[in-house]
Amino acid sequence: MAEDSRFRPERFKAFVDAVVAIAMTLLILPLMEAVSEAAKGEITTAEFLSEHSGQLLSFALSFVLIATFWIGHHNQYRDVEWMTGPLLWINIAWMVTIVWLPVPTAMIGQMTTDALQTVVYIGTLILTQVTTLAAWVYLQRNPALTTASPSTLRAGVIGDLSAIILFAIALGIALLLPDHSYAGMFLLLATGTVTRVLNRVTRRRDVARG
């Protein structure tokens, strides 16, 4: 890799932080509009909370998910000392999914739930993890860009694979049980367990190859 094609990541990291902050702020806008409408209708606070419980839940869920994605991204790039064009475009794809997430979030809170809505929402989360995984794989293949150890890069790959698997299962549950569309999201609590299983499988495979 030519050294003159690399650049320092400081501006990139600041840009990512700004994009994430804007996306998290956009999540609240439908609720702000709902408050204005509620004020015109002279409904009580209790009535507002009851009528807009779906919006409130979707806001909280997406806010936590974006925050989690940002924390993961921060940890991923903490040791990255150089950026390249391909790695930058992988991250632009990641940012697209983050900026898009407020749209399906608003759909969940304001529209009747249907199968396509579920696919759009959880599919967006899967794409976010896929782009993160792509960055881990790229860094594995270009270790000169980061001071992270091979074991750290490997753990990042396995962790993202675990999350993708669980998101896919959650999507399947949502499509099979439409009355409990997003209950499968609680499966993400098992990410650590799935990661440990994948670690054991890959270690055994490496031993067998060795």
Side-chain angles (χ1 to χ4, degrees):
M1 182 186 302
E3 290 191 4
D4 57 3
S5 67
R6 306 185 307 180
F7 55 93
R8 291 292 185 179
E10 284 74 16
R11 289 186 64 191
F12 153 75
K13 292 178 181 179
F15 181 50
V16 169
D17 290 348
V19 168
V20 171
I22 291 170
M24 296 177 85
T25 302
L26 290 174
L27 292 173
I28 200 67
L29 293 184
L31 280 168
M32 297 298 293
E33 294 176 4
V35 169
S36 297
E37 294 173 1
K40 293 177 182 178
E42 297 183 350
I43 69 172
T44 67
T45 301
E47 289 172 334
F48 172 82
L49 294 175
S50 176
E51 291 179 11
H52 296 277
S53 59
Q55 279 183 280
L56 291 165
L57 288 172
S58 62
F59 162 76
L61 175 61
S62 292
F63 192 93
V64 169
L65 285 169
I66 291 179
T68 302
F69 287 141
W70 178 82
I71 291 169
H73 189 277
H74 170 73
N75 291 334
Q76 184 176 34
Y77 286 87
R78 180 176 51 203
D79 299 317
V80 171
E81 296 192 339
W82 295 99
M83 294 290 296
T84 64
L87 188 56
L88 181 61
W89 280 106
I90 290 172
N91 278 275
I92 289 173
W94 180 86
M95 286 186 282
V96 168
T97 68
I98 295 297
V99 172
W100 168 253
L101 190 58
V103 177
T105 299
M107 291 179 183
I108 294 172
Q110 300 179 65
M111 298 167 58
T112 301
T113 301
D114 56 41
L116 182 57
Q117 182 188 109
T118 304
V119 170
V120 170
Y121 185 78
I122 300 181
T124 299
L125 303 177
I126 291 173
L127 287 175
T128 304
Q129 291 291 171
V130 168
T131 54
T132 307
L133 173 62
W136 281 121
V137 172
Y138 185 85
L139 290 170
Q140 272 192 321
R141 295 179 179 178
N142 298 274
L145 301 177
T146 179
T147 58
S149 65
S151 61
T152 297
L153 298 176
R154 180 191 181 102
V157 169
I158 293 174
D160 276 334
L161 282 173
S162 302
I164 290 169
I165 290 169
L166 291 173
F167 273 131
I169 294 173
L171 178 57
I173 292 173
L175 294 176
L176 291 172
L177 303 171
D179 292 337
H180 305 281
S181 297
Y182 299 98
M185 299 294 285
F186 287 104
L187 284 172
L188 293 175
L189 298 173
T191 301
T193 301
V194 176
T195 299
R196 286 192 292 273
V197 171
L198 289 178
N199 267 316
R200 290 171 187 163
V201 171
T202 54
R203 279 199 297 267
R204 290 174 183 173
R205 184 190 63 185
D206 291 344
V207 169
R209 288 180 177 178

